[in-house]
Amino acid sequence: MSEGAVTRRRVQAKPVEDEKKDNDVVDDGGDVSEGEDRGDDKATRFTLMEQILLLGLKDREGYTSFWNDCISSGLRGCVMIELALRNRIELEKTGMRKRALLSRKILLKNDQPTGDVILDEALRHIKETQPGETVTNWVEYLSGETWNPLKLRYQLRNVRERLAKNLVEKGVLTTEKQNFLLFDMTTHPLHDSVLKTKLIKQVQEAVLQRWTNDVHRMDRRMLSLIVLAHASDVLENAFAPLNDQDYEVAMKRVRSILELDYEAESEKKASKRNRNARCTVPIPV
């Protein structure tokens, strides 16, 4: 008993440096990236929105492709997933009548600010909306692509520009003015190529070296990034440097994720969680 007590005291008495390092690894909502040595790296503090924009930006030109009409809604999807990863929102329970994922409402779980302006703006909209709305509806509202004039006030404006400024503050991008014949445009060329290269390498490793056939064992943030990058039409930019063989393997594995039956996978997760709860035995003190 005395040895156990001593051991517990030793675990609690961490040096200040170790405690600070632990706090860096845990996200705002308690989401920990599994299997990654995140450390105190700038790349680990990117939001999903910033990562998607960084993958979509042309390095020298400093803007996204004019032909990409998916990134706008993709970034709004990132906002919803980021809030979920930070434990601010959740899907309503299925109840007795099992409802499809896309028909379940978004519920507010925690209204504490995240510290990110875009996320907090979306969080306020969700808090003010009763009854709740589905994920699909929220993506439409936040992107302004809705026929309901009463919902236009929910639109998140200038998201790409605001995210680019965040990346400029983090030293990843820089700001320039470019002339496009009839008008001048503010662009944000890549300044720190090391961080973008590291981000691309992490995406590649997730579907190559660290691949697992069980999505429930994948890191939630990386799984979200892969799906959102595909939805935003920027995933190709991460796989372009790969050789032909690795490219085929990577795309095949991404397709296997996209073709999953998400309804069945969510039920698997729920049943596993319930099974673990039933198996939990209180430890006598």
Side-chain angles (χ1 to χ4, degrees):
M1 291 296 292
S2 61
E3 290 181 0
V6 172
T7 302
R8 284 194 293 272
R9 283 199 295 268
R10 286 176 180 171
V11 170
Q12 293 175 356
K14 285 186 177 181
V16 177
E17 293 81 7
D18 290 347
E19 292 180 354
K20 190 173 182 181
K21 192 177 297 182
D22 289 344
N23 292 333
D24 290 337
V25 174
V26 181
D27 284 340
D28 186 31
D31 175 45
V32 181
S33 290
E34 302 167 3
E36 289 189 29
D37 182 14
R38 299 183 68 185
D40 189 17
D41 195 321
K42 288 182 182 178
T44 66
R45 296 195 294 270
F46 288 161
T47 63
L48 287 171
M49 302 91 73
E50 291 168 345
Q51 289 175 318
I52 292 298
L53 182 66
L54 192 55
L55 289 175
L57 277 178
K58 298 181 179 181
D59 294 354
R60 294 183 180 179
E61 293 84 350
Y63 52 82
T64 57
S65 172
F66 294 123
W67 308 108
N68 188 341
D69 57 356
C70 302
I71 194 169
S72 179
S73 57
L75 289 173
R76 273 68 177 185
C78 290
V79 171
M80 303 306 294
I81 299 299
E82 187 74 43
L83 287 173
L85 289 174
R86 297 189 184 209
N87 291 324
R88 295 307 194 274
I89 60 175
E90 62 181 351
L91 283 178
E92 65 179 342
K93 307 303 180 185
T94 55
M96 295 298 293
R97 294 173 55 191
K98 292 188 177 180
R99 304 176 63 185
L101 287 172
L102 293 180
S103 65
R104 288 157 65 182
K105 309 291 186 181
I106 292 290
L107 301 179
L108 184 67
K109 189 176 181 181
N110 183 350
D111 63 355
Q112 290 298 313
T114 64
D116 183 278
V117 177
I118 296 176
L119 293 178
D120 289 342
E121 184 178 343
L123 192 62
R124 285 195 301 272
H125 293 328
I126 295 172
K127 182 179 179 180
E128 295 168 0
T129 303
Q130 293 296 333
E133 299 282 358
T134 64
V135 176
T136 303
N137 287 344
W138 272 117
V139 170
E140 292 176 352
Y141 297 160
L142 297 178
S143 59
E145 297 176 357
T146 175
W147 293 102
N148 188 342
L150 299 177
K151 304 296 185 181
L152 289 175
R153 63 190 180 92
Y154 293 148
Q155 181 180 2
L156 298 178
R157 302 181 183 277
N158 305 318
V159 170
R160 269 178 272 191
E161 182 64 24
R162 291 156 72 182
L163 290 173
K165 288 181 179 179
N166 289 346
L167 291 172
V168 170
E169 293 177 359
K170 293 180 179 181
V172 185
L173 305 179
T174 186
T175 303
E176 291 183 0
K177 287 280 188 181
Q178 289 195 26
N179 181 271
F180 289 85
L181 296 179
L182 299 178
F183 58 92
D184 290 333
M185 186 173 108
T186 302
T187 60
H188 299 281
L190 186 65
H191 174 67
D192 189 340
S193 59
V194 174
L195 288 176
K196 182 170 183 177
T197 301
K198 183 171 183 178
L199 172 61
I200 291 174
K201 185 178 179 182
Q202 287 175 346
V203 176
Q204 294 173 353
E205 288 180 348
V207 294
L208 292 174
Q209 290 88 350
R210 298 184 179 182
W211 173 253
T212 171
N213 289 322
D214 185 1
V215 290
H216 299 288
R217 295 173 56 194
M218 290 185 67
D219 173 55
R220 292 186 298 168
R221 184 169 288 275
M222 180 54 67
L223 177 61
S224 302
L225 177 59
I226 292 171
V227 174
L228 290 165
H230 177 269
S232 305
D233 198 18
V234 299
L235 187 60
E236 180 74 20
N237 299 343
F239 292 160
L242 295 173
N243 59 51
D244 292 344
Q245 182 178 359
D246 287 343
Y247 178 86
E248 290 297 327
V249 172
M251 290 304 300
K252 180 180 179 182
R253 290 173 174 174
V254 169
R255 283 194 295 271
S256 70
I257 294 175
L258 300 173
E259 293 170 358
L260 284 172
D261 184 345
Y262 295 114
E263 302 290 344
E265 295 299 329
S266 65
E267 290 181 7
K268 283 182 186 178
K269 185 175 181 181
S271 61
K272 182 178 179 181
R273 185 166 54 243
N274 294 335
R275 188 166 58 250
N276 290 339
R278 288 195 300 269
C279 292
T280 303
V281 179
I283 300 175
V285 179

